[in-house]
Amino acid sequence: MRIRPGRTRSLFVGIMMLLVMIFGLVMMTRFGGAAFGPFVIIWVVVGLAGAAMAFYNAFSEEGLPLYEVDVEEDQEPKETTAFCPQCGKPVDEDDQFCRHCGASLT
């Protein structure tokens, strides 16, 4: 299972990456752009790569995961024979409270 950031957040991050990159370039050129030669190239490459990843997440159906969650599939689901007396949803027999409504099961 992969979890990726939402479209709105990705679009916002992409725009912010571009703005920070442009602001940094303007600041570097005002304070002696020639002295920052290799750093300017690295700054632009990292800024464009970050913005590209964010825009890919915003406009693609797949997207790049922010987190990866491992789900163990060997565990068999428990068969439910007990139900909450208040809301009627299934609960485990060893539960003390309903997970859905919070009612006491004792």
Side-chain angles (χ1 to χ4, degrees):
M1 172 185 285
R2 300 174 342 150
I3 300 174
R4 69 184 182 107
R7 292 182 191 275
T8 306
R9 178 179 172 194
S10 295
L11 187 60
F12 176 75
V13 168
I15 292 170
M16 291 306 295
M17 288 286 292
L18 289 177
L19 291 176
V20 166
M21 184 189 67
I22 292 169
F23 181 74
L25 287 174
V26 169
M27 295 303 290
M28 283 185 263
T29 56
R30 288 188 182 216
F31 295 112
F36 293 109
F39 184 73
V40 170
I41 295 171
I42 294 170
W43 184 265
V44 169
V45 168
V46 169
L48 289 177
M53 287 173 32
F55 288 135
Y56 181 72
N57 273 344
F59 298 113
S60 170
E61 290 299 321
E62 294 177 8
L64 301 168
L66 185 62
Y67 303 105
E68 291 193 17
V69 179
D70 293 331
V71 178
E72 295 180 18
E73 295 181 13
D74 336 356
Q75 298 177 352
E76 295 180 18
K78 295 180 183 178
E79 288 190 28
T80 304
T81 56
F83 295 91
C84 174
Q86 185 169 345
C87 68
K89 302 232 177 163
V91 294
D92 292 336
E93 290 189 20
D94 56 339
D95 286 345
Q96 295 180 358
F97 296 95
C98 177
R99 297 177 192 198
H100 305 283
C101 68
S104 176
L105 300 174
T106 55

